[in-house]
Amino acid sequence: MNSLTESILSRVQTRKIPSSSFVRTWTLGSSHAKIAARYFSYAIQKHFVEDEKKKDLYSHFQLQSALQLLGTMGYLRGAIMKIGQLIANLPQIMPGELIEIFESLQFEAPPMHYSLIREVFLDELGRDPEEIFASFEKNAFAAASLGQVHRAKLHNGKEVAVKVQYPNIAETIEADIKILSVLLQTMRFKKDFQYLGAHVQDAKSVFLNEVDYLSEAAFMEKNRKIFTDSKIVVPRLYPEFTTTRVLTMEYLPGKHLQSFLATNPPLSRRNHFAELISYSFVHSWFSLRTVYADLHPGNFVLMQDGRLGFIDFGCYRQFDVERWKLQVDGELAMFQDDRDALKFYLTRLAMRETSADLDPEWVDLFMRQLRWVIAPVLKTGPFDFSRTEYVKQGADLLMESVRQGHVRIDPFYNWSNRALLGHRSLMYRLRCKFDYSSLYLTEMKQFT
Amino acid sequence: MRITQEAKEKTRKSILEAAEILFAKQGFEKTTTRDISASCGIAKGTLFNYFKSKETLAMTLVAQAMESGRKMFERRRTGKEILVEELFLFIASELRALKTFRTYIGPVLASGMSIFSKESICPEGEEARRNHLKTIGKILANHGFEIEYNSIVITLYWSLYLGILAHWSKDKTPKQSETLALIDYSMHTFANTISSNTVVPEAFICNE
Ligand SMILES: Nc1ncnc2c1ncn2[C@@H]1O[C@H](COP(=O)(O)OP(=O)(O)OP(=O)(O)O)[C@@H](O)[C@H]1O
């Protein structure tokens, strides 16, 4: 454990929680965000601190304090929380306590009181929640990164989950990203700087898309279609009570991963849900050419009857036709170990003219990462996801690539990489062992 | 005598209505008292019997809207709100009622509700301020804070409130959502300051 991690840990452990619950929700929220911000700046720092140590250190401090400031603004911390969630998916890098804290970000109710909810409702739907619904719980039951979720009942008796967005969040994300871009300017001496800008812009477009609940709703409907006749349940949408900032959907009862695991479920049960989670991931990958950039435990509800609730369709990235073809060809090349085709794939991914321009150090690392990713597919029969070495290897590779700081790469890769790590980490936590290869290849055959 | 009084009231009302429409249509700055008197068919001099200036006229409209915002607040209030929520509800309801005046409330308040002196030159503005602060006093009392009208706490509140109004009048975000966030922060700041973090209000959102 390095000193930064240690100091954060000690801060977390010694931090007194104020007794007033009002103050508590308020400060807890921001301290979480601060820690997330710290980690974020840490990751970025690692990306850039190499040659010009002094300069870098200066920008690091600047960056860190700026991010901390962003984190203090109560519920306007959406963008930072996203980063925290990303980090939470890497159990080998983060000490266990911190993962728990990050995870609680998804469950902790943020400070949006009912008067504020009412105003958002008046602006969005023209009426108070209590006029629209037969009943509406004033206290949120779950926090979302950009809002909070309330339970309610429709007049026809149906139970719904109503996601309400914080006011002004889109503007805040835009402003955050602007600040970030300005701060990154201090690192412009770094080679391939222009590609970094592309990554930031790309992240911005994905996050801003997430701000529009209508687009999330549309995508949720699409997913509902592709998962009919499966054990995966996507909530039904209630469009009459849905706007850009309010999303009303069927409530799915069940447990999240953490509480499921707390019941000490047997291997068969863990495998069952691991397969369903994998299916949701792989099936949408192939049938919708989509990657969920935000694959974390909060997005799955493990239901008593054995079905898997799949929620949250805000944060995704869809391949266009051309990029998808490259992706599929690349995957085939990997599985068939076709060196020439692989070279072509890497060249395109790194936005180079010819494979001779590729950075050999990067190619070496990338190939090792690829091998790590496809290991469960290449293994015929059950793959043991519970092996610590496997996850650790993935995390080490990630750290290595962070250290290498290679940014000249198609931004799409960020999302698929993030999703893959998210998936593997979920599998690891479920300590599952099943035939992932058949699942993957069957889907691949069917859709390509 | 009674009839004259009634007629007077009627004229006053029609001036206010005409002014509201014209302000909304052509803007506060561009609207002249001549336009207003012409629009309701009275002599310009007559208008001045009712309202000293265009600013007073606008301030009267604003004060009326604030009054209806207060009523809206009373209606919507459940009595279960914690301090921050109740303050928030009051200001948000008032702004809702003031919506049509948003773009020109700045100059109106600057002249009608003098910001720099405690006593306003415009009686309508002074009354609007008093009424607003009276409600604030009541809300504070509901939560156990008995506070004098002239106390520094009220001055603190008033500065935050003016800041909110100023921001709101220039808020370019859709549905002025930034102002909603600002009201919330401001009222949290205010409640935190006056309670010095010592009171333990009931949790408004708590997962346990
Ligand atoms: N339909 C639903 N049924 C049951 N619980 C739900 C439902 N929708 C949301 N939730 C709860 O609310 C939490 C947050 O919702 P959601 O994941 O949609 O929000 P989000 O804004 O996308 O946040 P995040 O980025 O953290 O995933 C979920 O983890 C879950 O606990």
Side-chain angles (χ1 to χ4, degrees), chain A residues 319 323 325-331 333-334 339-351 358 362 366 370 413 416:
Chain A
F319 286 94
R323 179 67 180 77
K325 186 170 171 349
L326 178 70
Q327 184 63 29
V328 171
D329 291 348
E331 283 192 29
M334 287 178 233
R339 294 293 158 114
D340 287 337
L342 258 177
K343 258 200 189 129
F344 178 75
Y345 173 63
L346 292 191
T347 311
R348 294 282 305 278
L349 214 56
M351 296 173 276
L358 287 171
W362 174 73
F366 197 85
L370 275 186
Y413 172 77
S416 51

Side-chain angles (χ1 to χ4, degrees), chain A residues 82 85 142 144-145 163 249-250 252 256 294 296 298-299 312:
Chain A
K82 286 252 144 272
Q85 285 168 1
S145 52
K163 186 150 94 167
M249 61 189 140
E250 171 190 2
L252 300 179
H256 283 311
D294 199 17
H296 65 83
N299 294 345
D312 189 8

Side-chain angles (χ1 to χ4, degrees), chain A residues 2 5 85 91 101 107 109 117 126 135 151 189 195 216 227 264 320 324 338 370 373 435:
Chain A
N2 63 49
T5 321
Q85 285 168 1
I101 288 174
F107 304 105
I117 299 285
S135 67
R151 288 186 67 167
F189 49 85
Y195 296 99
E216 174 167 349
F227 288 111
N264 260 326
D320 61 36
W324 176 249
D338 177 342
L370 275 186
V373 167
D435 187 354

